[in-house]
Amino acid sequence: DIQMTQSPSSLSASVGDRVTITCRASQNINNFLNWFQQQAGKTPKLLIYSASTLQSGVPSRFSGSGSGTDFTLTINSLQPEDFATYFCLQYYSVPYTFGQGTKLEIK
Amino acid sequence: QLVESGGGLVQPGGSLRLSCAASGFSFSSYWMTWVRQAPGKGLEWVANIKEDGSEKYYMDSVKGRFTISRDNAKNSQYLQMNSLRAEDTALYYCAIGMRNYVHWGQGTLVTVSS
């Protein structure tokens, strides 16, 4: 199975900051990676698919990049509603696997 | 809309059958997926099934114990869970699609405990 390792596991930041979350795959997954946001008590929300394509309706302050084994999710100018947990998902091969999550907290 | 049901408290070694009732879209045109989340933990991809049920895939730890199925006439998918273990305790979500999970149900809670 492909292992997905996210870093950091948690992150403290302030409104207006720029943050970057990393996801590393245990093998090449091309660009077969999605990013999800999960706010406390809510269902996950698709932010980015195919590593860098913004899902419809998602604010442009979110962006994704990477290919192969290393991927990043960047959030520019953090807003209060962005404080949540973020997960990556590889779908290069089954079983698909999520990263362990990155909890973004208010500083 | 996706509505899961069938969760509950079950003893280790027991069985449960989860259901996911779909509405508002052409159910038979989409892969369907189950994702779970243990309390306070991350997301785990569990299984998915092709539009016509001809392909099914599972995470390693549930292979041989869980069976995903669907009934397109009833716009529903199912997860039959046998030989349940404490580590299967989680909120089980139903999601539309093979990988781009835009729409999710609210989940049904499965608790495996004696």
Side-chain angles (χ1 to χ4, degrees):
Chain A
D1 298 359
I2 297 174
Q3 308 303 315
M4 303 302 294
T5 303
Q6 279 184 241
S7 61
S9 296
S10 63
L11 176 61
S12 294
S14 301
V15 173
D17 284 353
R18 178 176 184 260
V19 299
T20 298
I21 298 168
T22 297
C23 197
R24 175 165 288 176
S26 59
Q27 65 181 75
N28 178 26
I29 59 169
N30 292 333
N31 68 332
F32 295 160
L33 183 113
N34 292 344
W35 289 99
F36 294 85
Q37 175 198 64
Q38 188 176 32
Q39 295 175 326
K42 295 192 175 181
T43 59
K45 175 184 178 182
L46 177 66
L47 297 177
I48 303 277
Y49 61 92
S50 300
S52 60
T53 304
L54 197 67
Q55 170 66 17
S56 176
V58 174
S60 59
R61 63 180 179 273
F62 291 91
S63 63
S65 64
S67 184
T69 60
D70 293 317
F71 301 86
T72 59
L73 172 70
T74 299
I75 313 171
N76 288 303
S77 187
L78 276 171
Q79 298 300 300
E81 60 269 28
D82 299 338
F83 292 95
T85 303
Y86 293 85
F87 298 92
C88 60
L89 169 73
Q90 71 79 19
Y91 55 90
Y92 179 81
S93 65
V94 287
Y96 299 165
T97 42
F98 285 94
Q100 80 277 16
T102 295
K103 187 173 184 179
L104 178 55
E105 298 175 304
I106 299 176
K107 186 181 289 183
Chain B
Q1 184 182 10
L2 300 170
V3 179
E4 301 93 336
S5 61
L9 175 63
V10 61
Q11 292 188 340
S15 298
L16 277 177
R17 187 193 193 212
L18 306 184
S19 299
C20 171
S23 61
F25 67 101
S26 180
F27 180 77
S28 61
S29 299
Y30 290 87
W31 281 72
M32 294 296 294
T33 296
W34 288 97
V35 173
R36 70 184 184 184
Q37 188 167 33
K41 302 296 184 182
L43 300 172
E44 262 193 324
W45 183 90
V46 176
N48 67 3
I49 184 168
K50 195 175 179 180
E51 295 95 335
D52 62 359
S54 62
E55 294 182 35
K56 306 174 184 182
Y57 301 98
Y58 301 91
M59 65 181 297
D60 289 349
S61 65
V62 308
K63 279 181 188 174
R65 300 190 299 124
F66 289 12
T67 302
I68 190 171
S69 63
R70 65 190 295 161
D71 185 338
N72 288 343
K74 294 184 178 180
N75 289 340
S76 294
Q77 73 155 344
Y78 308 97
L79 189 67
Q80 177 66 44
M81 305 187 296
N82 299 330
S83 303
L84 282 161
R85 306 167 180 167
E87 54 265 34
D88 296 318
T89 293
L91 185 64
Y92 284 73
Y93 292 107
C94 169
I96 301 171
M98 191 178 186
R99 51 187 174 249
N100 292 357
Y101 311 132
V102 176
H103 300 288
W104 300 64
Q106 291 303 306
T108 186
L109 182 63
V110 172
T111 304
V112 184
S113 174
S114 55

